[in-house]
Amino acid sequence: MRLYTKLFIMIEMICYSLFTVLDICFPDYYQISNKMKFISICGCFLYTMTQLIIHKRKEFVLSLAMLFILWSDFFLLLTDHMLYGMITFNLVQVFLFLKIVSYDMNSKNALFQRVSILLVSTLLICVLLNVITEIDGLLVVSILYFLQFTLNLSKLISLYGKYHVKEVKLFLIGLILYFLCDINVGIFNLSSYINVSSQFFDILYKIATIAMWSFYLPGIVCIALCTDTSITKKFNK
């Protein structure tokens, strides 16, 4: 393992430890915690850029995904522009999809199928929300994001099982951790749309508050490490 890779992992572990302690023990210092979280994502982005620029790695799509992850976390952590953050997170899923289909030997119609699914889903979601309540733009893009992520993860799992592509192992672990984060994000935001009042939900809410980033950063670090072929080769032996 290269020295700068060890340094990258060490910095991410320090950031992870610091913001986790703040979230658990000092929740009132959430602004400092959010800045630490953003710094950790900046580190992941810089690492992928190092692979792309200095070492001429061919993971351009993952680098683009990391760029939009950076923008998304900027909006969600440091501003109040939640809608912009979710729009850019949808773009992240588009780039992750392009990476996933690159492993598929039968991916000729994959892009057309995905676009068709998203267009039909958008129409159905808007109609359904219009019937139930007023259309909430943030809710629409959040549902589309979760749909994209679910399709991406299921596609990658099926490819790993079908073709036994070893190169996807670290990528798959990263996406699973990332997905677990989003499940906790859903629990965290559930009370904004549904009136939930129970002791059990209060416990889930408190767990989700910590669990979101407990899963998220390790997942993003795994995806960033996928841009280094020397790491994926060792990991997949």
Side-chain angles (χ1 to χ4, degrees):
M1 187 182 292
R2 296 182 179 89
L3 178 61
Y4 66 83
T5 300
K6 292 179 181 179
L7 183 62
F8 163 65
I9 293 172
M10 184 176 68
I11 291 171
E12 294 302 312
M13 289 176 67
I14 291 171
C15 289
Y16 184 84
S17 302
L18 288 173
F19 70 64
T20 301
V21 169
L22 287 173
D23 287 346
I24 295 173
C25 302
F26 307 99
D28 291 338
Y29 291 88
Y30 66 92
Q31 290 183 330
I32 297 174
S33 174
N34 284 350
K35 289 175 182 176
M36 291 301 305
K37 290 168 183 173
F38 186 68
I39 289 170
S40 67
I41 297 301
C42 288
C44 293
F45 172 70
L46 291 174
Y47 182 79
T48 59
M49 287 300 100
T50 301
Q51 300 302 315
L52 184 66
I53 298 170
I54 299 178
H55 297 288
K56 310 297 181 184
R57 301 298 181 193
K58 297 180 180 179
E59 297 295 350
F60 182 67
V61 172
L62 281 184
S63 299
L64 280 176
M66 199 61 64
L67 172 63
F68 281 95
I69 286 172
L70 181 69
W71 274 110
S72 301
D73 285 322
F74 170 77
F75 287 127
L76 296 178
L77 290 172
L78 304 181
T79 77
D80 295 324
H81 301 301
M82 301 294 116
L83 179 60
Y84 297 158
M86 289 311 302
I87 289 172
T88 48
F89 260 136
N90 269 278
L91 292 174
V92 170
Q93 291 303 319
V94 171
F95 291 119
L96 292 179
F97 168 72
L98 293 175
K99 176 60 181 175
I100 291 166
V101 295
S102 70
Y103 296 118
D104 192 356
M105 292 180 248
N106 301 304
S107 60
K108 293 180 181 178
N109 299 318
L111 185 58
F112 174 75
Q113 291 172 357
R114 175 59 61 88
V115 171
S116 301
I117 290 171
L118 291 178
L119 288 175
V120 172
S121 299
T122 303
L123 178 62
L124 290 175
I125 291 166
C126 289
V127 170
L128 184 61
L129 289 177
N130 193 42
V131 171
I132 298 173
T133 182
E134 293 183 6
I135 293 178
D136 183 334
L138 179 59
L139 184 57
V140 171
V141 295
S142 297
I143 293 172
L144 285 175
Y145 166 79
F146 190 74
L147 175 62
Q148 280 202 83
F149 203 160
T150 303
L151 291 172
N152 282 344
L153 184 58
S154 59
K155 177 74 172 177
L156 189 60
I157 291 172
S158 67
L159 287 175
Y160 184 71
K162 185 177 180 181
Y163 299 123
H164 304 289
V165 184
K166 290 184 177 181
E167 299 88 68
V168 309
K169 190 184 293 184
L170 184 59
F171 188 32
L172 179 58
I173 291 172
L175 277 194
I176 289 173
L177 291 170
Y178 186 178
F179 191 76
L180 290 173
C181 157
D182 283 340
I183 290 174
N184 283 281
V185 171
I187 294 170
F188 181 80
N189 291 299
L190 188 62
S191 59
S192 300
Y193 298 96
I194 301 174
N195 186 16
V196 183
S197 56
S198 69
Q199 187 175 3
F200 177 69
F201 179 75
D202 289 342
I203 294 171
L204 275 181
Y205 180 86
K206 290 176 182 178
I207 293 172
T209 302
I210 308 301
M212 289 186 291
W213 275 82
S214 297
F215 289 118
Y216 181 65
L217 184 59
I220 300 303
V221 168
C222 287
I223 293 171
L225 289 172
C226 287
T227 60
D228 187 343
T229 53
S230 66
I231 296 291
T232 55
K233 285 178 181 178
K234 288 181 180 179
F235 192 86
N236 292 313
K237 285 183 178 179

Short mmCIF file of all heavy atoms in Angstrom, two decimals, residues 103-161:
data_model
loop_
_atom_site.label_atom_id
_atom_site.label_comp_id
_atom_site.label_asym_id
_atom_site.label_seq_id
_atom_site.Cartn_x
_atom_site.Cartn_y
_atom_site.Cartn_z
N TYR A 103 -19.41 -3.15 -15.92
CA TYR A 103 -19.08 -4.53 -15.57
C TYR A 103 -19.98 -5.54 -16.29
O TYR A 103 -19.72 -6.73 -16.27
CB TYR A 103 -19.25 -4.76 -14.06
CG TYR A 103 -18.33 -3.96 -13.18
CD1 TYR A 103 -18.83 -3.02 -12.27
CD2 TYR A 103 -16.94 -4.15 -13.23
CE1 TYR A 103 -17.97 -2.30 -11.44
CE2 TYR A 103 -16.09 -3.43 -12.41
CZ TYR A 103 -16.62 -2.51 -11.52
OH TYR A 103 -15.78 -1.78 -10.71
N ASP A 104 -21.07 -5.04 -16.88
CA ASP A 104 -22.09 -5.92 -17.46
C ASP A 104 -21.77 -6.22 -18.92
O ASP A 104 -21.62 -5.30 -19.73
CB ASP A 104 -23.46 -5.27 -17.33
CG ASP A 104 -24.60 -6.23 -17.63
OD1 ASP A 104 -24.32 -7.39 -18.02
OD2 ASP A 104 -25.76 -5.84 -17.48
N MET A 105 -21.72 -7.50 -19.25
CA MET A 105 -21.44 -7.90 -20.62
C MET A 105 -22.67 -7.74 -21.53
O MET A 105 -22.57 -7.79 -22.74
CB MET A 105 -20.99 -9.37 -20.64
CG MET A 105 -19.64 -9.60 -20.00
SD MET A 105 -19.18 -11.33 -20.07
CE MET A 105 -19.24 -11.78 -18.37
N ASN A 106 -23.84 -7.56 -20.93
CA ASN A 106 -25.08 -7.41 -21.70
C ASN A 106 -25.77 -6.10 -21.33
O ASN A 106 -26.92 -6.08 -20.91
CB ASN A 106 -26.03 -8.60 -21.42
CG ASN A 106 -25.40 -9.93 -21.76
OD1 ASN A 106 -24.97 -10.13 -22.89
ND2 ASN A 106 -25.32 -10.83 -20.80
N SER A 107 -25.05 -4.99 -21.49
CA SER A 107 -25.56 -3.71 -21.02
C SER A 107 -26.00 -2.78 -22.16
O SER A 107 -26.09 -1.57 -21.95
CB SER A 107 -24.49 -3.01 -20.17
OG SER A 107 -23.32 -2.78 -20.95
N LYS A 108 -26.27 -3.32 -23.34
CA LYS A 108 -26.59 -2.47 -24.49
C LYS A 108 -27.84 -1.62 -24.25
O LYS A 108 -27.88 -0.45 -24.61
CB LYS A 108 -26.79 -3.34 -25.74
CG LYS A 108 -25.52 -4.03 -26.21
CD LYS A 108 -25.79 -4.86 -27.45
CE LYS A 108 -24.51 -5.56 -27.92
NZ LYS A 108 -24.76 -6.43 -29.11
N ASN A 109 -28.86 -2.21 -23.64
CA ASN A 109 -30.12 -1.49 -23.45
C ASN A 109 -30.30 -0.98 -22.02
O ASN A 109 -31.38 -0.50 -21.67
CB ASN A 109 -31.30 -2.40 -23.81
CG ASN A 109 -31.25 -2.85 -25.27
OD1 ASN A 109 -30.95 -2.05 -26.14
ND2 ASN A 109 -31.55 -4.12 -25.50
N ALA A 110 -29.26 -1.09 -21.21
CA ALA A 110 -29.38 -0.75 -19.79
C ALA A 110 -29.72 0.72 -19.58
O ALA A 110 -30.57 1.06 -18.76
CB ALA A 110 -28.09 -1.10 -19.05
N LEU A 111 -29.05 1.62 -20.35
CA LEU A 111 -29.29 3.05 -20.17
C LEU A 111 -30.71 3.42 -20.58
O LEU A 111 -31.39 4.18 -19.86
CB LEU A 111 -28.28 3.85 -20.99
CG LEU A 111 -28.33 5.37 -20.82
CD1 LEU A 111 -28.11 5.76 -19.36
CD2 LEU A 111 -27.28 6.04 -21.71
N PHE A 112 -31.18 2.88 -21.69
CA PHE A 112 -32.54 3.16 -22.14
C PHE A 112 -33.57 2.67 -21.12
O PHE A 112 -34.54 3.36 -20.81
CB PHE A 112 -32.80 2.50 -23.50
CG PHE A 112 -34.22 2.61 -23.98
CD1 PHE A 112 -34.71 3.81 -24.49
CD2 PHE A 112 -35.08 1.52 -23.90
CE1 PHE A 112 -36.03 3.92 -24.92
CE2 PHE A 112 -36.39 1.62 -24.32
CZ PHE A 112 -36.87 2.82 -24.84
N GLN A 113 -33.34 1.47 -20.60
CA GLN A 113 -34.25 0.91 -19.60
C GLN A 113 -34.29 1.76 -18.34
O GLN A 113 -35.36 2.03 -17.78
CB GLN A 113 -33.83 -0.52 -19.25
CG GLN A 113 -34.03 -1.52 -20.38
CD GLN A 113 -33.41 -2.88 -20.08
OE1 GLN A 113 -32.79 -3.08 -19.06
NE2 GLN A 113 -33.59 -3.82 -21.00
N ARG A 114 -33.11 2.24 -17.90
CA ARG A 114 -33.06 3.05 -16.69
C ARG A 114 -33.78 4.38 -16.87
O ARG A 114 -34.55 4.81 -16.01
CB ARG A 114 -31.61 3.29 -16.28
CG ARG A 114 -31.42 4.23 -15.08
CD ARG A 114 -32.13 3.71 -13.83
NE ARG A 114 -31.62 2.44 -13.41
CZ ARG A 114 -30.57 2.29 -12.59
NH1 ARG A 114 -29.95 3.34 -12.11
NH2 ARG A 114 -30.19 1.09 -12.24
N VAL A 115 -33.56 5.03 -18.01
CA VAL A 115 -34.23 6.31 -18.29
C VAL A 115 -35.74 6.12 -18.34
O VAL A 115 -36.51 6.92 -17.78
CB VAL A 115 -33.71 6.92 -19.62
CG1 VAL A 115 -34.56 8.13 -20.01
CG2 VAL A 115 -32.26 7.32 -19.48
N SER A 116 -36.19 5.03 -18.96
CA SER A 116 -37.62 4.75 -19.05
C SER A 116 -38.24 4.54 -17.68
O SER A 116 -39.31 5.08 -17.36
CB SER A 116 -37.86 3.50 -19.92
OG SER A 116 -37.34 3.67 -21.21
N ILE A 117 -37.55 3.79 -16.84
CA ILE A 117 -38.03 3.52 -15.48
C ILE A 117 -38.14 4.82 -14.69
O ILE A 117 -39.14 5.07 -14.00
CB ILE A 117 -37.09 2.53 -14.75
CG1 ILE A 117 -37.23 1.13 -15.36
CG2 ILE A 117 -37.41 2.48 -13.25
CD1 ILE A 117 -36.20 0.14 -14.85
N LEU A 118 -37.12 5.67 -14.80
CA LEU A 118 -37.11 6.93 -14.04
C LEU A 118 -38.21 7.88 -14.52
O LEU A 118 -38.85 8.56 -13.71
CB LEU A 118 -35.74 7.59 -14.14
CG LEU A 118 -34.60 6.88 -13.42
CD1 LEU A 118 -33.29 7.61 -13.64
CD2 LEU A 118 -34.89 6.76 -11.93
N LEU A 119 -38.43 7.96 -15.83
CA LEU A 119 -39.47 8.84 -16.35
C LEU A 119 -40.86 8.40 -15.90
O LEU A 119 -41.68 9.21 -15.45
CB LEU A 119 -39.40 8.90 -17.88
CG LEU A 119 -38.22 9.66 -18.49
CD1 LEU A 119 -38.22 9.52 -20.00
CD2 LEU A 119 -38.27 11.13 -18.10
N VAL A 120 -41.12 7.10 -16.03
CA VAL A 120 -42.42 6.57 -15.61
C VAL A 120 -42.59 6.73 -14.10
O VAL A 120 -43.66 7.13 -13.61
CB VAL A 120 -42.56 5.08 -16.00
CG1 VAL A 120 -43.83 4.48 -15.40
CG2 VAL A 120 -42.57 4.93 -17.52
N SER A 121 -41.53 6.47 -13.34
CA SER A 121 -41.59 6.58 -11.88
C SER A 121 -41.85 8.02 -11.45
O SER A 121 -42.64 8.27 -10.53
CB SER A 121 -40.28 6.09 -11.25
OG SER A 121 -40.05 4.74 -11.57
N THR A 122 -41.18 8.98 -12.13
CA THR A 122 -41.39 10.40 -11.81
C THR A 122 -42.85 10.79 -12.01
O THR A 122 -43.45 11.47 -11.17
CB THR A 122 -40.49 11.28 -12.70
OG1 THR A 122 -39.13 10.91 -12.52
CG2 THR A 122 -40.67 12.75 -12.33
N LEU A 123 -43.42 10.36 -13.13
CA LEU A 123 -44.82 10.67 -13.43
C LEU A 123 -45.75 10.07 -12.37
O LEU A 123 -46.64 10.75 -11.84
CB LEU A 123 -45.19 10.13 -14.81
CG LEU A 123 -46.64 10.33 -15.26
CD1 LEU A 123 -46.95 11.82 -15.33
CD2 LEU A 123 -46.88 9.66 -16.61
N LEU A 124 -45.52 8.80 -12.02
CA LEU A 124 -46.37 8.13 -11.02
C LEU A 124 -46.24 8.78 -9.65
O LEU A 124 -47.24 8.96 -8.94
CB LEU A 124 -46.00 6.64 -10.94
CG LEU A 124 -46.37 5.78 -12.15
CD1 LEU A 124 -45.83 4.36 -12.00
CD2 LEU A 124 -47.88 5.75 -12.35
N ILE A 125 -45.01 9.13 -9.26
CA ILE A 125 -44.79 9.76 -7.96
C ILE A 125 -45.50 11.11 -7.89
O ILE A 125 -46.16 11.42 -6.89
CB ILE A 125 -43.27 9.94 -7.69
CG1 ILE A 125 -42.61 8.57 -7.47
CG2 ILE A 125 -43.04 10.82 -6.46
CD1 ILE A 125 -41.09 8.63 -7.53
N CYS A 126 -45.39 11.90 -8.95
CA CYS A 126 -46.04 13.22 -8.97
C CYS A 126 -47.56 13.09 -8.90
O CYS A 126 -48.22 13.84 -8.18
CB CYS A 126 -45.63 13.99 -10.22
SG CYS A 126 -43.91 14.54 -10.23
N VAL A 127 -48.11 12.14 -9.65
CA VAL A 127 -49.56 11.91 -9.63
C VAL A 127 -50.01 11.47 -8.25
O VAL A 127 -50.99 11.98 -7.69
CB VAL A 127 -49.97 10.86 -10.69
CG1 VAL A 127 -51.44 10.45 -10.50
CG2 VAL A 127 -49.75 11.41 -12.09
N LEU A 128 -49.27 10.52 -7.66
CA LEU A 128 -49.61 9.99 -6.34
C LEU A 128 -49.54 11.08 -5.27
O LEU A 128 -50.46 11.22 -4.44
CB LEU A 128 -48.68 8.84 -5.97
CG LEU A 128 -48.96 8.10 -4.66
CD1 LEU A 128 -50.34 7.47 -4.68
CD2 LEU A 128 -47.90 7.04 -4.40
N LEU A 129 -48.47 11.86 -5.29
CA LEU A 129 -48.32 12.92 -4.29
C LEU A 129 -49.37 14.02 -4.47
O LEU A 129 -49.82 14.63 -3.50
CB LEU A 129 -46.91 13.53 -4.37
CG LEU A 129 -45.77 12.64 -3.87
CD1 LEU A 129 -44.44 13.34 -4.08
CD2 LEU A 129 -45.94 12.30 -2.40
N ASN A 130 -49.75 14.26 -5.73
CA ASN A 130 -50.78 15.26 -6.00
C ASN A 130 -52.14 14.82 -5.45
O ASN A 130 -52.95 15.65 -5.02
CB ASN A 130 -50.88 15.53 -7.50
CG ASN A 130 -51.70 16.76 -7.81
OD1 ASN A 130 -51.56 17.78 -7.15
ND2 ASN A 130 -52.56 16.66 -8.81
N VAL A 131 -52.39 13.50 -5.48
CA VAL A 131 -53.64 12.96 -4.93
C VAL A 131 -53.63 13.01 -3.41
O VAL A 131 -54.63 13.40 -2.77
CB VAL A 131 -53.85 11.51 -5.41
CG1 VAL A 131 -55.03 10.86 -4.68
CG2 VAL A 131 -54.09 11.48 -6.92
N ILE A 132 -52.50 12.62 -2.81
CA ILE A 132 -52.40 12.54 -1.35
C ILE A 132 -52.23 13.90 -0.71
O ILE A 132 -52.91 14.26 0.26
CB ILE A 132 -51.23 11.61 -0.94
CG1 ILE A 132 -51.49 10.19 -1.45
CG2 ILE A 132 -51.07 11.59 0.58
CD1 ILE A 132 -50.33 9.26 -1.24
N THR A 133 -51.32 14.68 -1.25
CA THR A 133 -51.00 15.99 -0.67
C THR A 133 -50.41 16.88 -1.75
O THR A 133 -50.33 16.49 -2.91
CB THR A 133 -49.99 15.82 0.48
OG1 THR A 133 -49.72 17.10 1.06
CG2 THR A 133 -48.69 15.19 0.01
N GLU A 134 -50.01 18.08 -1.38
CA GLU A 134 -49.34 18.95 -2.34
C GLU A 134 -47.98 18.36 -2.71
O GLU A 134 -47.30 17.76 -1.89
CB GLU A 134 -49.14 20.34 -1.75
CG GLU A 134 -50.44 21.10 -1.51
CD GLU A 134 -50.19 22.49 -0.99
OE1 GLU A 134 -49.01 22.90 -0.93
OE2 GLU A 134 -51.17 23.16 -0.65
N ILE A 135 -47.61 18.54 -3.97
CA ILE A 135 -46.34 17.98 -4.44
C ILE A 135 -45.17 18.69 -3.76
O ILE A 135 -45.07 19.91 -3.79
CB ILE A 135 -46.22 18.08 -5.97
CG1 ILE A 135 -47.26 17.18 -6.64
CG2 ILE A 135 -44.82 17.68 -6.43
CD1 ILE A 135 -47.24 17.25 -8.15
N ASP A 136 -44.32 17.91 -3.14
CA ASP A 136 -43.12 18.42 -2.46
C ASP A 136 -41.92 18.05 -3.32
O ASP A 136 -41.60 16.87 -3.49
CB ASP A 136 -43.03 17.78 -1.07
CG ASP A 136 -41.85 18.31 -0.25
OD1 ASP A 136 -40.87 18.76 -0.86
OD2 ASP A 136 -41.92 18.26 0.98
N GLY A 137 -41.26 19.08 -3.89
CA GLY A 137 -40.13 18.83 -4.78
C GLY A 137 -39.04 18.01 -4.13
O GLY A 137 -38.46 17.11 -4.75
N LEU A 138 -38.73 18.32 -2.87
CA LEU A 138 -37.69 17.59 -2.15
C LEU A 138 -38.06 16.12 -1.98
O LEU A 138 -37.21 15.24 -2.15
CB LEU A 138 -37.46 18.23 -0.78
CG LEU A 138 -36.40 17.57 0.12
CD1 LEU A 138 -35.04 17.55 -0.57
CD2 LEU A 138 -36.31 18.29 1.47
N LEU A 139 -39.34 15.86 -1.69
CA LEU A 139 -39.78 14.48 -1.53
C LEU A 139 -39.70 13.72 -2.84
O LEU A 139 -39.29 12.55 -2.87
CB LEU A 139 -41.22 14.44 -0.98
CG LEU A 139 -41.80 13.07 -0.67
CD1 LEU A 139 -40.94 12.31 0.33
CD2 LEU A 139 -43.23 13.19 -0.15
N VAL A 140 -40.06 14.37 -3.94
CA VAL A 140 -40.01 13.72 -5.27
C VAL A 140 -38.58 13.31 -5.61
O VAL A 140 -38.32 12.16 -5.97
CB VAL A 140 -40.57 14.66 -6.37
CG1 VAL A 140 -40.31 14.06 -7.76
CG2 VAL A 140 -42.06 14.87 -6.18
N VAL A 141 -37.63 14.24 -5.49
CA VAL A 141 -36.24 13.91 -5.86
C VAL A 141 -35.64 12.91 -4.87
O VAL A 141 -34.79 12.10 -5.24
CB VAL A 141 -35.35 15.18 -5.97
CG1 VAL A 141 -35.80 16.06 -7.10
CG2 VAL A 141 -35.31 15.95 -4.66
N SER A 142 -36.10 12.93 -3.62
CA SER A 142 -35.61 11.97 -2.62
C SER A 142 -36.08 10.56 -2.96
O SER A 142 -35.31 9.59 -2.85
CB SER A 142 -36.08 12.36 -1.22
OG SER A 142 -35.56 13.61 -0.83
N ILE A 143 -37.35 10.43 -3.37
CA ILE A 143 -37.88 9.11 -3.76
C ILE A 143 -37.16 8.60 -5.01
O ILE A 143 -36.80 7.42 -5.10
CB ILE A 143 -39.40 9.19 -3.99
CG1 ILE A 143 -40.13 9.47 -2.67
CG2 ILE A 143 -39.92 7.88 -4.60
CD1 ILE A 143 -41.61 9.73 -2.82
N LEU A 144 -36.96 9.49 -5.97
CA LEU A 144 -36.23 9.10 -7.19
C LEU A 144 -34.80 8.67 -6.87
O LEU A 144 -34.28 7.70 -7.45
CB LEU A 144 -36.21 10.25 -8.19
CG LEU A 144 -37.51 10.53 -8.93
CD1 LEU A 144 -37.38 11.78 -9.79
CD2 LEU A 144 -37.89 9.34 -9.81
N TYR A 145 -34.18 9.39 -5.95
CA TYR A 145 -32.82 9.04 -5.52
C TYR A 145 -32.79 7.64 -4.91
O TYR A 145 -31.95 6.81 -5.26
CB TYR A 145 -32.33 10.08 -4.50
CG TYR A 145 -31.10 9.64 -3.74
CD1 TYR A 145 -29.83 9.71 -4.32
CD2 TYR A 145 -31.20 9.12 -2.44
CE1 TYR A 145 -28.71 9.29 -3.63
CE2 TYR A 145 -30.08 8.71 -1.75
CZ TYR A 145 -28.85 8.79 -2.35
OH TYR A 145 -27.74 8.37 -1.66
N PHE A 146 -33.74 7.37 -4.00
CA PHE A 146 -33.76 6.07 -3.35
C PHE A 146 -34.06 4.96 -4.36
O PHE A 146 -33.50 3.86 -4.27
CB PHE A 146 -34.80 6.07 -2.23
CG PHE A 146 -34.73 4.85 -1.35
CD1 PHE A 146 -33.71 4.72 -0.42
CD2 PHE A 146 -35.67 3.84 -1.45
CE1 PHE A 146 -33.62 3.60 0.39
CE2 PHE A 146 -35.59 2.72 -0.64
CZ PHE A 146 -34.57 2.60 0.29
N LEU A 147 -34.93 5.25 -5.33
CA LEU A 147 -35.23 4.28 -6.38
C LEU A 147 -33.98 3.98 -7.20
O LEU A 147 -33.66 2.81 -7.46
CB LEU A 147 -36.34 4.82 -7.28
CG LEU A 147 -36.69 3.96 -8.52
CD1 LEU A 147 -37.20 2.60 -8.11
CD2 LEU A 147 -37.73 4.68 -9.38
N GLN A 148 -33.27 5.03 -7.61
CA GLN A 148 -32.04 4.84 -8.37
C GLN A 148 -31.02 4.02 -7.58
O GLN A 148 -30.39 3.10 -8.12
CB GLN A 148 -31.41 6.20 -8.70
CG GLN A 148 -32.01 6.92 -9.87
CD GLN A 148 -31.04 7.93 -10.45
OE1 GLN A 148 -30.17 7.58 -11.26
NE2 GLN A 148 -31.16 9.18 -10.03
N PHE A 149 -30.87 4.36 -6.31
CA PHE A 149 -29.88 3.66 -5.48
C PHE A 149 -30.24 2.19 -5.33
O PHE A 149 -29.38 1.30 -5.43
CB PHE A 149 -29.80 4.33 -4.11
CG PHE A 149 -28.50 4.09 -3.39
CD1 PHE A 149 -28.10 4.93 -2.36
CD2 PHE A 149 -27.65 3.04 -3.73
CE1 PHE A 149 -26.90 4.73 -1.69
CE2 PHE A 149 -26.45 2.82 -3.06
CZ PHE A 149 -26.08 3.67 -2.04
N THR A 150 -31.53 1.91 -5.10
CA THR A 150 -31.98 0.52 -4.96
C THR A 150 -31.71 -0.27 -6.23
O THR A 150 -31.23 -1.42 -6.19
CB THR A 150 -33.48 0.47 -4.61
OG1 THR A 150 -33.72 1.24 -3.42
CG2 THR A 150 -33.94 -0.96 -4.39
N LEU A 151 -32.00 0.34 -7.39
CA LEU A 151 -31.74 -0.33 -8.66
C LEU A 151 -30.25 -0.54 -8.88
O LEU A 151 -29.83 -1.60 -9.36
CB LEU A 151 -32.32 0.51 -9.81
CG LEU A 151 -33.85 0.59 -9.90
CD1 LEU A 151 -34.27 1.61 -10.95
CD2 LEU A 151 -34.45 -0.77 -10.21
N ASN A 152 -29.44 0.46 -8.54
CA ASN A 152 -27.99 0.33 -8.70
C ASN A 152 -27.42 -0.78 -7.84
O ASN A 152 -26.62 -1.60 -8.30
CB ASN A 152 -27.30 1.66 -8.34
CG ASN A 152 -27.41 2.69 -9.43
OD1 ASN A 152 -27.73 2.36 -10.58
ND2 ASN A 152 -27.15 3.94 -9.11
N LEU A 153 -27.82 -0.81 -6.57
CA LEU A 153 -27.29 -1.81 -5.66
C LEU A 153 -27.73 -3.22 -6.06
O LEU A 153 -26.92 -4.15 -6.06
CB LEU A 153 -27.73 -1.51 -4.22
CG LEU A 153 -27.18 -2.43 -3.13
CD1 LEU A 153 -25.65 -2.43 -3.13
CD2 LEU A 153 -27.70 -2.01 -1.76
N SER A 154 -29.00 -3.37 -6.43
CA SER A 154 -29.49 -4.69 -6.85
C SER A 154 -28.80 -5.15 -8.13
O SER A 154 -28.49 -6.33 -8.30
CB SER A 154 -31.01 -4.66 -7.04
OG SER A 154 -31.38 -3.71 -8.01
N LYS A 155 -28.51 -4.18 -9.03
CA LYS A 155 -27.80 -4.51 -10.27
C LYS A 155 -26.38 -4.99 -9.97
O LYS A 155 -25.93 -6.00 -10.54
CB LYS A 155 -27.75 -3.27 -11.17
CG LYS A 155 -26.98 -3.43 -12.48
CD LYS A 155 -27.74 -4.26 -13.48
CE LYS A 155 -27.06 -4.24 -14.84
NZ LYS A 155 -27.75 -5.12 -15.82
N LEU A 156 -25.69 -4.30 -9.08
CA LEU A 156 -24.32 -4.68 -8.75
C LEU A 156 -24.27 -6.03 -8.05
O LEU A 156 -23.38 -6.85 -8.33
CB LEU A 156 -23.67 -3.60 -7.87
CG LEU A 156 -22.17 -3.74 -7.63
CD1 LEU A 156 -21.39 -3.72 -8.94
CD2 LEU A 156 -21.67 -2.64 -6.71
N ILE A 157 -25.21 -6.27 -7.16
CA ILE A 157 -25.27 -7.57 -6.47
C ILE A 157 -25.52 -8.69 -7.47
O ILE A 157 -24.89 -9.76 -7.40
CB ILE A 157 -26.37 -7.55 -5.39
CG1 ILE A 157 -25.96 -6.62 -4.24
CG2 ILE A 157 -26.62 -8.97 -4.84
CD1 ILE A 157 -27.05 -6.40 -3.21
N SER A 158 -26.43 -8.46 -8.41
CA SER A 158 -26.73 -9.50 -9.41
C SER A 158 -25.53 -9.76 -10.32
O SER A 158 -25.26 -10.91 -10.68
CB SER A 158 -27.95 -9.09 -10.25
OG SER A 158 -27.66 -7.96 -11.05
N LEU A 159 -24.80 -8.69 -10.67
CA LEU A 159 -23.60 -8.87 -11.50
C LEU A 159 -22.52 -9.65 -10.76
O LEU A 159 -21.86 -10.51 -11.35
CB LEU A 159 -23.05 -7.50 -11.93
CG LEU A 159 -23.84 -6.74 -12.99
CD1 LEU A 159 -23.23 -5.36 -13.21
CD2 LEU A 159 -23.88 -7.52 -14.30
N TYR A 160 -22.36 -9.34 -9.48
CA TYR A 160 -21.36 -10.04 -8.68
C TYR A 160 -21.71 -11.52 -8.56
O TYR A 160 -20.84 -12.39 -8.64
CB TYR A 160 -21.27 -9.40 -7.29
CG TYR A 160 -20.18 -10.01 -6.43
CD1 TYR A 160 -18.84 -9.78 -6.71
CD2 TYR A 160 -20.50 -10.82 -5.34
CE1 TYR A 160 -17.84 -10.33 -5.93
CE2 TYR A 160 -19.50 -11.38 -4.55
CZ TYR A 160 -18.18 -11.13 -4.86
OH TYR A 160 -17.19 -11.69 -4.08
N GLY A 161 -23.01 -11.81 -8.41
CA GLY A 161 -23.44 -13.20 -8.30
C GLY A 161 -23.42 -13.94 -9.63
O GLY A 161 -23.11 -15.13 -9.69
#
